[in-house]
Amino acid sequence: MWLVSDDDTQIYMLGAMHALPRGTDWERGKVADAIATADELVMELSPDELAGAGAVFQSLAPRTAPLAMEKRLPPQALAGYRALEARGGDFGGDTLDDWAVMVLMGQRVAQSAELDSSDGVETRLTEQFKDARKPIRGLETAREQLMLFETLDPATQRTLLTRAAENSGNAVKDVGALTAAWGRGDVAALEKVINEDVDAVPAARKAIITDRNRRWTAWVHQRLEQPGTVLMAVGAGHLVGPAGVPAMLEAEGLEVRRVQ
């Protein structure tokens, strides 16, 4: 968690994990203080937008015409895809866009790793801020977020899907390493695990990570013009590395301090 502030505003930036193993204890120390003192919670999606995300996914995910996975994936990737599919049932991938299949694969990996969004950072924070009757806002809409994938060019979508399928055999282990790095606050390990894969697909990195970080950096600048204390919780990958929000803010002359 990082802090950027001026004379009358404090913005805590918490790197969140969207899903975690049941019973993960992370609401301690400075994080607990930030939760208690914040006037509002800002996440990638507001609770209402998150609740409607499934319907938005269903509207955007279908292909214009079905295309068999055998025609999309080379043999090794197809084998990985089928193995992952066998763990929990048919994805219905033939009827879906490449990006949508990849999203469903990621959900299956999280399930296999025994991670649950109901135990994720955003869910727990939402419960606490609702109980405290403090406002909860979002930086994006569900449609805006999913359109980042929908509007990727076909070659980039296919590359992402192929890489996900090829690496699916190690995916549960990789997710475990990511969760462990987050739990011990190991920023260098987080940066390596989170960014190493997406760095190999520059168009995806730009759309999904870098451009959003720039928009959120601009949001922080604007929010500093209003007094108060804000807890901003976004995916941990957006806060680490030279293209993370804290680094972008520092590059623009603001003092950013890691507080936990």
Side-chain angles (χ1 to χ4, degrees):
M1 185 172 71
W2 290 259
L3 173 66
V4 59
S5 62
D6 61 17
D7 292 341
D8 60 1
T9 309
Q10 292 184 310
I11 301 176
Y12 290 95
M13 298 176 287
L14 175 63
M17 290 288 289
H18 303 314
L20 285 167
R22 186 170 298 279
T24 302
D25 182 13
W26 55 269
E27 301 139 294
R28 292 183 292 177
K30 294 292 186 180
V31 171
D33 293 342
I35 293 170
T37 60
D39 304 311
E40 65 175 313
L41 171 64
V42 175
M43 304 185 293
E44 294 180 31
L45 299 178
S46 70
D48 287 346
E49 286 292 330
L50 183 58
V56 178
F57 178 87
Q58 292 296 329
S59 71
L60 294 176
R63 287 180 55 86
T64 304
L67 180 64
M69 298 306 295
E70 288 83 356
K71 294 184 178 180
R72 302 193 214 185
L73 297 175
Q76 180 181 344
L78 182 63
Y81 170 83
R82 294 300 185 203
L84 192 59
E85 196 174 43
R87 295 180 190 175
D90 182 12
F91 289 120
D94 292 0
T95 65
L96 302 177
D97 288 336
D98 287 359
W99 70 267
V101 179
M102 184 186 68
V103 168
L104 294 177
M105 290 172 62
Q107 292 175 350
R108 183 70 52 83
V109 168
Q111 292 169 0
S112 298
E114 298 184 346
L115 306 183
D116 193 329
S117 61
S118 65
D119 292 297
V121 170
E122 290 92 341
T123 300
R124 301 254 289 270
L125 287 176
T126 296
E127 292 169 351
Q128 293 183 61
F129 276 74
K130 281 187 174 180
D131 288 345
R133 298 188 178 181
K134 295 178 180 180
I136 305 172
R137 312 184 198 283
L139 294 164
E140 300 170 329
T141 67
R143 184 173 184 83
E144 287 170 343
Q145 196 172 83
L146 291 174
M147 284 297 290
L148 297 171
F149 295 92
E150 172 78 358
T151 55
L152 289 173
D153 65 272
T156 298
Q157 289 193 38
R158 186 63 50 84
T159 299
L160 288 173
L161 175 61
T162 301
R163 289 176 62 85
E166 287 176 343
N167 297 331
S168 61
N170 295 320
V172 170
K173 180 182 70 176
D174 292 343
V175 167
L178 172 65
T179 303
W182 179 83
R184 63 178 184 269
D186 189 338
V187 170
L190 274 174
E191 183 182 354
K192 178 177 173 57
V193 175
I194 291 171
N195 293 334
E196 193 172 58
D197 192 48
V198 74
D199 280 348
V201 191
R205 184 187 226 303
K206 180 179 184 300
I208 298 168
I209 304 291
T210 309
D211 286 352
R212 293 167 79 199
N213 290 357
R214 288 196 182 101
R215 290 194 289 272
W216 298 349
T217 297
W219 179 89
V220 170
H221 276 284
Q222 293 173 352
R223 186 59 186 81
L224 284 169
E225 297 175 2
Q226 305 172 41
T229 300
V230 180
L231 177 57
M232 173 184 173
V234 298
H238 293 283
L239 302 185
V240 299
V245 175
M248 287 185 175
L249 290 167
E250 287 182 329
E252 294 176 358
L254 291 177
E255 181 182 351
V256 182
R257 180 166 54 94
R258 184 176 174 188
V259 292
Q260 182 159 323

